Amino acid sequence: MSVPGPVLLAGASGLVGSRVLARLLELPRGPRVLAPSRRELGTAHPRLATVVAELASAEQDAALEQRLRSAVPGVAAFACCLGTTLRAAGSREAFLAVDRDLVLRIAGIARSMGARHALLVSSVGASAQSGNFYLRVKGETERGLAALGFERIDVLRPGLLLGDRLESRPAERLARALAPLLGTVLRGRLERYRAIPVDEVAAAAVALLLADGEGVHVHEHASLHALATGA
């Protein structure tokens, strides 16, 4: 089965996004992939169109959309793997600008280009009512995406991502070391907090981009694992 049309992929250079990109390009009858990025991705493929552009300001959105449309006139789906950390962003305001505002700006562009399906990599525990700033922003992003009029939305809420990052995250290294032990005690309702290999999240994302139907669908650990493994 092939994705019904071009996919606008945000965050294609990141931990999850790079795996999603690779899997989409490996599909025998896969879609064209339109990837806005602040830098070249270092990947060449007949079905990949990379648009290098500054993404920092909403005032640049019209120019970005024009460049995206010049590369691929319309898209069928929007897949977002964008994300940063408070430490990397440097402030709460900078974190909001990427993890919520930039995500929703690009989602709006994808919707105006015809996307009917949106997929968002969020986080376990995301809630617009959360007392935790990080989780509240993730929840606000999910809520904002739902307001844009997509016919189908798939929200992926993985726990700790197991994979090699370019930047150092000491707390994540410790959590990865403890993941096998935590996996044995995180059962029942706590299972959703289990760590998950980044390749499983990417495989689940691509499987969902192949899915039909409408509505908002939330996928946590068990669902992501099942989608990735075909269980």
Side-chain angles (χ1 to χ4, degrees):
M1 183 184 295
S2 61
V3 177
V7 175
L8 195 162
L9 174 61
S13 64
L15 183 65
V16 177
S18 60
R19 269 77 163 189
V20 171
L21 175 63
R23 286 177 175 272
L24 285 172
L25 297 179
E26 288 168 0
L27 291 174
R29 294 184 293 133
R32 293 194 68 186
V33 180
L34 180 59
S37 177
R38 290 178 298 175
R39 60 181 182 273
E40 292 289 347
L41 297 177
T43 300
H45 193 282
R47 289 191 280 106
L48 173 63
T50 304
V51 174
V52 178
E54 179 57 55
L55 308 175
S57 169
E59 287 71 24
Q60 300 162 327
D61 288 359
L64 173 60
E65 181 172 350
Q66 184 176 13
R67 292 185 61 194
L68 292 171
R69 286 183 179 274
S70 296
V72 177
V75 297
F78 168 61
C80 184
C81 306
L82 279 171
T84 185
T85 64
L86 277 167
R87 178 182 177 185
S91 69
R92 289 193 170 196
E93 292 75 16
F95 178 80
L96 277 168
V98 174
D99 269 55
R100 185 189 65 192
D101 299 344
L102 180 57
V103 169
L104 295 179
R105 283 166 42 209
I106 299 179
I109 291 173
R111 186 72 188 93
S112 72
M113 292 178 67
R116 302 169 73 179
H117 183 182
L119 180 144
L120 173 68
V121 178
S122 183
S123 172
V124 64
S127 170
Q129 287 75 46
S130 177
N132 177 281
F133 175 75
Y134 176 87
L135 297 178
R136 184 168 69 253
V137 172
K138 293 294 186 181
E140 290 173 353
T141 305
E142 293 180 11
R143 183 174 62 189
L145 188 66
L148 291 176
F150 291 98
E151 294 181 13
R152 179 184 175 109
I153 295 177
D154 287 291
V155 176
L156 282 61
R157 292 181 181 169
L160 175 69
L161 295 172
L162 300 176
D164 296 326
R165 296 184 186 272
L166 293 177
E167 75 272 26
S168 174
R169 296 186 182 182
E172 284 195 5
R173 287 202 304 271
L174 175 60
R176 285 197 295 270
L178 295 174
L181 173 61
L182 292 175
T184 64
V185 298
L186 296 176
R187 299 180 179 276
R189 296 182 63 184
L190 295 178
E191 182 183 12
R192 63 184 182 145
Y193 293 100
R194 288 184 182 181
I196 185 169
V198 65
D199 285 320
E200 284 197 9
V201 177
V206 172
L208 289 166
L209 287 171
L210 298 173
D212 298 320
E214 300 179 353
V216 178
H217 308 268
V218 176
H219 310 273
E220 296 183 331
H221 185 276
S223 174
L224 295 172
H225 179 72
L227 285 161
T229 60

